[in-house]
Amino acid sequence: MNNLQIKPRELKIISVIAATGSIGDAAALLGMAQANVSKYLSDFETRVGLKVFERTTRQLALTQFGEVLLPYINASLDKNIQLINFIADYKHEKSGRVTIYAPTGIITYLARHVIHQLEEIGDIRICLKTYNPNRNELSEGVSFPDDCDILITYAQPKDESLVAYQLTKYSVTAFATPEYILKRPINSPDDLIKHSCILLDSILVDDANIWRFRVHGSEEVRDYKVTGNYICDNTQTALELARNHLGIVFAPKESLKSEIEQGILMPCFSHQEEWWLDLTAIFRKREYQPWRVQYILDGVLNSLRERIKQAVPGATCSE
């Protein structure tokens, strides 16, 4: 018995027979002649020395041995499929899914400026998903979703085994429409307490947000508790409310270039008080990455690096 040789093909045939309860139906599903299916089963039972099925006039039923054997067969088939998928993943084939997570504003930026730059992706399916880190994750580190391949965000990963590649630093500050500021002038972050600020639900604390600004002319950073009438679950919605003169929004300056140039939104403070964040790409170590993920990762990083250099001459990215 220790020298018993079992072929994956035999296990697959037994599994399908058990699922259909019929050699004829199993043969149809497998695309085989019924006689060949019967022979595979008979040969297996002869070598093992035990019956897997009891044959009745209408259908096949698993024997007691067959009932115990079937879970082992299905587990073995699942492992075999995993092995095949693993090998296929590491072939240089442009196929399979690559999932990219990012906060709302960044995922919109990727869709608008980056994804169309990826050429010759073959049959790779790029899945874009929104992931807005909460207040705790900003300080304690973001989680890496189970189905995630690439996470682009402005926090460090909680899992230290992941690679955190810093793309650049970018500034976040307060913006409003010229009409809003004309009606309700504002001079410094100290004045925010008098204004309706558009809040983000993900960083909500006691119906307020904490906005951080670096004091003009120094390295000191101060936190300001702001409140307002409107709460959003993403920055894009908050910006739409701000465009309609409903309050002040806290957003990345780089993503609002066109609105600033067109005069739709403007910085609230003349001294450019701002908070600098690290834009970081998080991913598994390359030795654990399927080739399709490496291909898309390299394309995304290269495109972002080029856009950063164009936006900020002399800017660099470092691991």
Side-chain angles (χ1 to χ4, degrees):
M1 183 64 71
N2 290 337
N3 296 323
L4 179 65
Q5 297 294 319
I6 298 176
K7 302 173 183 176
R9 182 70 166 169
E10 292 174 324
L11 300 183
K12 178 67 174 177
I13 289 170
I14 292 170
S15 177
V16 176
I17 294 173
T20 60
S22 164
I23 289 179
D25 290 343
L29 283 175
L30 293 165
M32 297 173 61
Q34 184 170 330
N36 290 340
V37 172
S38 294
K39 188 173 188 311
Y40 268 106
L41 175 59
S42 178
D43 288 349
F44 178 84
E45 291 178 325
T46 298
R47 290 202 319 279
V48 171
L50 292 165
K51 289 290 185 183
V52 179
F53 296 98
E54 292 287 359
R55 291 158 177 79
T56 66
T57 54
R58 293 187 176 181
Q59 63 178 14
L60 300 182
L62 286 166
T63 63
Q64 185 176 0
F65 168 67
E67 292 279 4
V68 177
L69 176 67
L70 189 61
Y72 287 97
I73 287 177
N74 289 334
S76 177
L77 291 171
D78 287 341
K79 287 290 186 183
N80 192 50
I81 291 170
Q82 291 175 25
L83 176 60
I84 292 170
N85 289 339
F86 173 81
I87 293 171
D89 278 343
Y90 278 82
K91 288 182 178 177
H92 286 206
E93 294 179 354
K94 294 176 182 176
S95 63
R97 174 180 289 201
V98 176
T99 303
I100 303 173
Y101 277 86
T104 308
I106 296 175
I107 209 75
T108 301
Y109 183 90
L110 293 176
R112 183 179 301 168
H113 299 293
V114 174
I115 298 301
H116 73 278
Q117 300 284 347
L118 306 178
E119 300 177 350
E120 300 178 0
I121 65 171
D123 293 326
I124 294 174
R125 299 181 303 280
I126 299 175
C127 180
L128 301 177
K129 293 189 176 184
T130 302
Y131 180 12
N132 294 305
N134 59 41
R135 179 173 57 90
N136 291 334
E137 287 182 310
L138 291 175
S139 57
E140 298 172 6
V142 292
S143 301
F144 198 73
D146 290 340
D147 64 335
C148 181
D149 294 304
I150 305 165
L151 171 61
I152 299 177
T153 187
Y154 31 74
Q156 292 297 304
K158 188 177 295 183
D159 184 348
E160 295 181 356
S161 70
L162 297 169
V163 178
Y165 179 92
Q166 183 181 322
L167 289 160
T168 189
K169 288 182 175 291
Y170 68 102
S171 66
V172 182
T173 191
F175 294 90
T177 60
E179 291 86 347
Y180 178 92
I181 293 176
L182 184 63
K183 289 181 180 179
R184 304 187 64 183
I186 181 169
N187 296 311
S188 74
D190 292 316
D191 297 331
L192 286 169
I193 194 170
K194 307 172 187 175
H195 289 261
S196 176
C197 296
I198 301 169
L199 310 179
L200 287 179
D201 184 56
S202 61
I203 54 174
L204 201 64
V205 182
D206 298 329
D207 292 327
N209 276 181
I210 303 298
W211 290 1
R212 179 170 292 175
F213 296 92
R214 187 175 60 189
V215 177
H216 175 66
S218 77
E219 294 300 317
E220 182 185 356
V221 174
R222 293 180 186 171
D223 290 340
Y224 297 85
K225 186 175 182 179
V226 301
T227 60
N229 299 106
Y230 305 98
I231 301 170
C232 303
D233 67 354
N234 66 80
T235 305
Q236 294 305 306
T237 305
L239 286 169
E240 290 298 330
L241 295 177
R243 291 182 187 108
N244 283 310
H245 325 299
L246 293 177
I248 296 174
V249 67
F250 196 53
K253 185 190 301 182
E254 177 62 28
S255 64
L256 298 182
K257 270 190 171 181
S258 61
E259 284 88 348
I260 295 170
E261 291 172 356
Q262 296 172 44
I264 299 171
L265 293 172
M266 62 181 290
C268 292
F269 314 123
S270 59
H271 290 305
Q272 294 185 334
E273 284 89 347
E274 54 200 1
W275 181 23
W276 286 89
L277 294 173
D278 292 330
L279 184 61
T280 302
I282 300 171
F283 46 90
R284 296 180 185 88
K285 292 181 179 178
R286 287 185 179 268
E287 56 263 37
Y288 304 129
Q289 293 276 27
W291 186 81
R292 67 175 184 275
V293 175
Q294 294 188 37
Y295 184 82
I296 296 300
L297 174 63
D298 288 341
V300 168
L301 294 183
N302 287 337
S303 180
L304 286 172
R305 280 191 288 255
E306 284 302 314
R307 295 196 66 83
I308 290 166
K309 287 178 182 177
Q310 293 170 13
V312 187
T316 59
C317 304
S318 59
E319 299 230 37

